[in-house]
Amino acid sequence: MSGHLEPIRLPANQPPQFYRGGDAIAALRGASSECADASSAGGSTSDVYGPEDWVGSATTMFGQETNGLTKLPSGVWLRDAVRENPSAWLGAKHVEALGDSTGLLVKLLDAGQRLPVHFHPSDSFAKRHFDSHFGKTEAWIVVGTYGDDPRVYPGFKETVDKATVNEWARTQDAPAMLGALNSVAVAPGDTVYIPAGLPHAIGEGVFVVELQQPTDFSLTLEWRDFLANPEKAHLGIGFETAIETLDTSGWDEERLGSIVRRTAGDEASTVDLLADGSDAFFRADRLRPGLSGRSTTLSLDPSFAVLVVMDGSGTLRTEHGGEFALRKGETYVVPHDAGQSTMEGDVTVIRCRPPAPEKRERS
């Protein structure tokens, strides 16, 4: 044993949610016998596999003590393991910039129904109202779609005054809210960057790997038929206050082009998936060392990372001699201490990382 931290394969981590979905996650991970029994009894794999899998999570659901946290196979919460040895998990430069927070939350999210219209706070708003260093900027990497017309809804088509939005929230005018948003058809390989404050929704039949800042602050304009009461929607601060952090400006086609990318046709072994500017919050690459029959060995710099194996099989090797088999549906958390690593094989992996330390200043 080298004494160095090494990558850890993670079990599923699916806290309860308020919406339907999960079959796509079950298919990716490989439906268990328990899921098969549910399906044969007339149920769905989503009865067992919920619509969200929080991967490598050191973040709890809003207002809860442990729901959302990843438990390592050792029985220790990942959050606690990182806090006990932050430099080994995160690297000294990361700790200097972001403290002992991983700075990242990764989810598998399978929308079995359209999600409500909502938005998230900026860092400055979250600090004032939730005593948090982090708001909730996020991004979606579309890895699967199903149904007749999979879509996402990022940003208002035209500028809307905040009094109108407040009235929509008061009356729960869902058609007006959704109708005011852009409607964008998506396919696997598309990515959408969602800055804090941008109103949005994910449509039915969209399966994403979601990266976000490590919080659970969702301000939900369209709460009726989704949440129990408006207090859960505005997180106790009131809609008028919440709307202060809402981006009510119009997003035309040119502006949308700055946050939506189409990467399916990019056949590079390493593809930077997200829009310019998103690296101040997180980073994501699609790694395919064996694409089109190539036999490439990819070199990966030391970094805290979450790996989602989307297809195929391959091998991850660390500089300390660790060797880890990568298979479709598996997820790994990789500590900085694993060092310089390599990846090879006919495998497709999404590598999710926190922001580069130089992009963030500790507040």
Side-chain angles (χ1 to χ4, degrees), residues 35-355:
C35 291
D37 291 344
S39 296
S40 64
S44 165
T45 55
S46 61
D47 296 334
V48 178
Y49 279 83
E52 295 184 10
D53 191 333
W54 294 32
V55 186
S57 170
T59 302
T60 62
M61 300 180 74
F62 182 81
Q64 300 194 31
E65 290 188 7
T66 58
N67 266 345
L69 293 176
T70 288
K71 182 170 284 188
L72 299 175
S74 65
V76 176
W77 298 117
L78 173 62
R79 178 193 61 188
D80 295 342
V82 171
R83 287 175 176 173
E84 288 175 7
N85 198 356
S87 292
W89 274 97
L90 307 172
K93 290 182 179 179
H94 177 112
V95 173
E96 184 179 353
L98 291 169
D100 63 5
S101 170
T102 65
L104 177 69
L105 175 59
V106 176
K107 298 177 183 177
L108 307 179
L109 188 156
D110 172 28
Q113 66 180 106
R114 179 182 66 79
L115 273 61
V117 177
H118 63 291
F119 61 102
H120 307 295
S122 65
D123 289 355
S124 58
F125 187 92
K127 189 170 186 178
R128 290 196 308 273
H129 294 281
F130 302 119
D131 192 28
S132 170
H133 293 300
F134 298 99
K136 194 183 172 188
T137 289
E138 66 184 35
W140 311 323
I141 302 167
V142 181
V143 294
T145 56
Y146 51 91
D148 296 333
D149 191 24
R151 291 182 170 270
V152 297
Y153 303 87
F156 289 129
K157 291 181 285 190
E158 299 177 350
T159 299
V160 181
D161 64 80
K162 291 187 177 182
T164 297
V165 177
N166 196 57
E167 182 65 10
W168 290 342
R170 187 187 69 81
T171 61
Q172 284 301 283
D173 190 344
M177 296 182 209
L178 191 66
L181 295 176
N182 287 291
S183 178
V184 179
V186 291
D190 294 345
T191 70
V192 186
Y193 172 51
I194 302 292
L198 191 74
H200 59 275
I202 297 177
E204 180 179 356
V206 179
F207 178 30
V208 303
V209 175
E210 181 180 61
L211 290 83
Q212 60 185 68
Q213 291 180 279
T215 70
D216 189 35
F217 302 138
S218 288
L219 299 164
T220 308
L221 291 172
E222 182 193 0
W223 62 267
R224 186 172 294 160
D225 298 327
F226 291 97
L227 303 177
N229 54 59
E231 285 69 32
K232 292 184 179 296
H234 57 62
L235 305 183
I237 63 174
F239 282 118
E240 287 192 7
T241 298
I243 289 170
E244 292 174 7
T245 195
L246 175 66
D247 179 358
T248 58
S249 65
W251 283 71
D252 59 17
E253 187 172 345
E254 181 177 356
R255 285 192 80 190
L256 285 177
S258 70
I259 61 172
V260 178
R261 296 187 64 190
R262 314 282 185 179
T263 73
D266 193 327
E267 295 191 350
S269 296
T270 301
V271 178
D272 183 355
L273 293 173
L274 303 180
D276 292 345
S278 60
D279 59 349
F281 300 95
F282 32 64
R283 293 168 287 172
D285 298 299
R286 184 173 62 233
L287 308 177
R288 292 185 287 185
L291 185 66
S292 302
R294 292 194 298 257
S295 182
T296 302
T297 298
L298 298 181
S299 181
L300 308 177
D301 290 339
S303 176
F304 176 85
V306 169
L307 306 182
V308 181
V309 185
M310 297 306 308
D311 199 15
S313 61
T315 304
L316 176 70
R317 294 183 174 91
T318 71
E319 70 175 63
H320 310 299
E323 186 171 310
F324 302 87
L326 305 174
R327 298 182 180 87
K328 178 181 177 180
E330 293 181 334
T331 52
Y332 279 83
V333 61
V334 180
H336 185 279
D337 198 39
Q340 193 81 20
S341 302
T342 61
M343 184 181 296
E344 59 187 34
D346 186 11
V347 66
T348 300
V349 175
I350 295 177
R351 185 192 191 204
C352 307
R353 290 182 290 164

